[in-house]
């Protein structure tokens, strides 16, 4: 397949993919997990366990109380130590279930493959599995599987780009478990009745491209009416894996400002999400574990590790021989779009694809200086926005101006901050502006 067009803007940060050859290591035997009732992008789930309850692996402990919420399950067996409200690193209030592990990993008795005979069964199964987008956004997958009838997708796009520096967990998944990835894609195509799938992988990952192509060919030879699934090598350019960039490059379609993929008849899914769908349909075990990259300049044993959801970051670090120095910054995600956490007790979530730990030198952020009007941020913005103007308006609390300049179309990729010679805190400023707009809208809605 020919690539349509590369997206405008974007950058080429150093890859730092030092863990690309690190096979995934499964870690268990931890003493405690702390599972928040907010493991996704949306309203929190409702806790249904209490202090002193015995829980098993895969047992439901958080029930969706809203259409945009998902099921949450215990990743270990043991006893609930506490159920308490805490303030997350992002300032949001959440309920956290702390479980003391018994070391037995006893599986809940009702775990088993779901009965799926229709599209409705399939969507319900995805929700019951607690599946969310595993590329980092964490949007509930069952909602993505319900596009408007007049905008139904004709193409499923699988994101295997993994363009963020340092992160290699999706790469290892594609190399180590290509059958599971492809089987998950086949299931989505079948139950959702989507005619084709395109898997986009950056060309700097030839092993992953080869593994998935060979798997598709092997499976195609065994089935007369095999679905239309194609692996496409993408130009290596950040943020290639961003939803709108991926759609433009693979299909030539442009999602309108304020629009969603279904507006151009496309559904986008991460390769890890597809793999998780395959796992759940085969075993009935919900999403309770996460494979992520642990890296950074002071991590003694960087690598890719599969751990239970809810594991405190500190316990993961300790399990792989700790740090070579004092941590100055810990990121959930990559250095471009990752979120800094304020405590090592923070839990590993379903959406985490990396934990990066940096010492003082690597974490040091230069002081910002005055904008010199060079327009580099404008040239590199993949959304064709004017970051320097959005920055100024956010600092002046000019909400009308922010809306006029389409602030909500910023994908917060960090390209502007990366190229800024004045080291302006552009992304953080724009995030603050978005938060003020949300707060103003919520206040206005409460008056009605």
């Amino acid at each position: 397949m020919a690539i349509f067009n590369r997206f405008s803007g974007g950058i080429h940060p150093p890859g730092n993919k030092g863990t690309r050859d690190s096979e995934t290591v499964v870690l268990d035997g931890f003493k405690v997990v702390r599972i928040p009732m907010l493991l996704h992008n949306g309203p929190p789930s409702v806790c249904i366990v209490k202090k002193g309850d015995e829980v098993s692996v895969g047992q439901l402990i958080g029930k969706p109380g809203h259409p945009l919420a998902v099921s949450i399950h215990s990743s270990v067996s043991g006893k609930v130590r506490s159920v308490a409200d805490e303030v997350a690193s992002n300032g949001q209030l959440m309920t956290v279930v702390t479980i003391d592990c018994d070391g037995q990993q006893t599986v809940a008795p009702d775990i088993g493959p779901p009965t799926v005979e229709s599209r409705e069964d399939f969507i319900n199964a995805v929700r019951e599995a607690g599946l969310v987008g595993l590329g980092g956004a964490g949007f509930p997958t069952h909602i993505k599987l319900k596009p408007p009838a007049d905008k139904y997708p004709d193409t499923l796009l699988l994101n295997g780009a993994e363009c963020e520096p340092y992160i290699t967990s999706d790469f290892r998944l594609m190399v180590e478990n290509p059958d599971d990835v492809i089987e998950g894609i086949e299931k989505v195509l079948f139950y959702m009745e989507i005619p084709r799938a395109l898997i986009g992988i950056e060309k700097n990952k030839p092993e992953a491209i080869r593994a998935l192509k060979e798997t598709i060919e092997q499976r195609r030879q065994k089935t007369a009416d095999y679905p239309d699934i194609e692996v496409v090598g993408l130009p290596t350019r950040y943020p290639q894996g961003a939803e709108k960039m991926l759609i433009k490059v693979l299909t030539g379609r442009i999602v309108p400002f304020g629009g969603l993929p279904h507006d151009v008849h496309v559904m986008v899914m991460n390769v890890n999400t597809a793999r998780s769908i395959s796992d759940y349909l085969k075993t009935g075990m919900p999403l309770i574990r996460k494979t992520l990259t642990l890296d950074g300049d002071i991590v003694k044993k960087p690598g890719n590790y599969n751990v239970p959801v809810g594991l405190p970051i500190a316990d993961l670090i300790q399990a792989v021989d700790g740090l070579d120095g004092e941590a100055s910054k810990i990121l959930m995600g990559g250095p471009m779009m990752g979120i800094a956490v304020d405590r090592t007790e923070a839990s590993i979530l379903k959406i985490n694809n990396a934990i990066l730990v940096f010492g003082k030198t690597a974490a040091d952020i230069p002081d910002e200086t005055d904008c010199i009007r060079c327009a580099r941020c404008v040239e590199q913005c993949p959304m064709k926005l004017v970051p320097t103007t959005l920055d100024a308006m956010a600092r002046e609390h000019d909400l009308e101006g922010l809306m006029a300049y389409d602030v909500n179309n910023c994908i917060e990729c960090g390209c502007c901050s990366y190229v800024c010679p004045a080291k302006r805190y552009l992304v953080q400023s724009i995030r603050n502006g978005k938060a003020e707009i949300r707060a103003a809208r919520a206040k206005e809605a409460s008056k009605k």
Side-chain angles (χ1 to χ4, degrees), residues 163-222:
C163 56
E164 271 264 17
Y166 289 95
I167 307 176
T168 63
S169 52
D170 278 354
F171 170 75
R172 292 310 312 175
L173 165 67
M174 292 184 285
V175 171
E176 296 171 13
N177 305 100
D179 270 297
D180 293 333
V181 174
I182 299 303
E183 184 173 346
I185 296 170
E186 293 168 356
K187 297 297 185 184
V188 176
L189 293 180
F190 177 77
Y191 287 110
M192 298 304 297
E193 298 182 45
I194 301 174
R196 70 166 180 165
L198 302 174
I199 308 170
I201 306 173
E202 284 191 324
K203 292 178 181 178
N204 62 355
K205 303 173 183 66
E207 302 94 332
I209 292 174
R210 182 170 58 251
L212 293 188
K213 281 187 173 181
E214 290 176 354
T215 300
I216 291 170
E217 186 56 34
Q218 291 167 4
R219 297 175 74 90
R220 178 177 285 122
Q221 291 176 4
K222 298 176 183 178

Side-chain angles (χ1 to χ4, degrees), residues 233-352:
L234 303 174
T236 302
R237 189 174 186 83
Y238 177 86
Q240 187 70 259
E243 200 169 60
K244 294 179 180 179
M245 277 72 257
L246 197 67
I247 291 171
K248 181 180 180 182
V249 172
L250 286 175
T251 70
R253 305 172 192 178
I254 299 176
V255 178
F257 269 14
L260 295 169
H262 61 233
D263 290 318
V264 291
H265 302 280
V266 169
M267 181 182 292
V268 182
M269 188 174 291
N270 182 266
V271 289
N272 207 334
T273 306
R275 184 268 181 96
S276 297
I277 289 173
S278 171
D279 284 351
Y280 183 69
L281 294 183
K282 286 188 293 187
T283 69
M285 182 60 72
L287 181 58
I288 58 169
R289 300 187 66 89
K290 193 68 176 73
T291 296
L292 49 79
T293 299
L294 176 65
D295 205 348
D297 66 321
I298 61 172
V299 175
K300 287 186 178 180
K301 284 190 176 180
N304 292 292
Y305 300 100
N306 179 272
V307 298
V309 168
L311 179 69
I313 293 173
D315 291 357
L316 167 61
I317 294 171
Q318 183 179 1
V320 294
D321 292 351
L323 305 175
D324 188 16
E326 184 177 352
S328 289
K329 177 169 284 188
I330 299 177
L331 294 176
M332 283 185 169
M336 299 302 299
M337 296 185 72
I339 303 297
V341 296
D342 62 346
R343 68 202 82 166
T344 57
E345 294 82 13
S347 302
I348 291 168
L349 311 177
K350 291 179 180 180
I351 61 175
N352 292 155

